[in-house]
Amino acid sequence: MRISRDKLNKLAHTVADSLAEIDQVDFLEDRNTIRQEARKALEQLFAEETKIDQAARLKISSQRKIIQEGTQEWDILYRKYYNDEVRRLGI
């Protein structure tokens, strides 16, 4: 799933604001730097998720039998292959 830049920035702001509200958290950098680092981390996370999604879809499409997306069989295989990729990457 692609996420817009605006939504990604909103998430990063939410992360920085949530961290600022925790008494045990002290920022060593200004809040904008924290927000930018949160955005970078989220971008990396979504990029990894996209790779995992593509790998799972590729495995389904490489089956001998054509499996239609949206069917129960496709959903089961997608979850299985998705989880296999996550385990393989150690996430």
Side-chain angles (χ1 to χ4, degrees):
M1 175 177 86
R2 298 287 297 157
I3 187 167
S4 72
R5 187 170 185 85
D6 289 339
K7 287 183 182 180
L8 193 60
N9 282 329
K10 174 90 171 132
L11 279 171
H13 274 286
T14 302
V15 168
D17 292 344
S18 296
L19 287 172
E21 292 175 2
I22 299 172
D23 291 334
Q24 294 85 2
V25 174
D26 291 324
F27 290 160
L28 300 177
E29 300 285 336
D30 63 297
R31 192 179 285 194
N32 190 48
T33 302
I34 303 300
R35 182 194 56 78
Q36 289 173 348
E37 289 301 316
R39 193 192 75 215
K40 286 179 191 175
L42 288 167
E43 285 174 342
Q44 290 173 348
L45 180 66
F46 285 122
E48 286 296 318
E49 194 278 332
T50 299
K51 289 177 188 176
I52 293 169
D53 175 72
Q54 289 173 347
R57 290 174 181 276
L58 182 63
K59 286 181 180 179
I60 293 172
S61 67
S62 67
Q63 300 287 318
R64 286 184 183 168
K65 175 180 157 186
I66 296 175
I67 302 167
Q68 293 294 322
E69 186 172 350
T71 63
Q72 185 178 9
E73 182 180 13
W74 191 94
D75 291 339
I76 291 168
L77 285 173
Y78 180 82
R79 280 193 303 271
K80 178 189 182 309
Y81 293 144
Y82 188 95
N83 290 333
D84 288 348
E85 281 298 309
V86 168
R87 264 188 249 102
R88 187 180 69 77
L89 293 173
I91 298 175

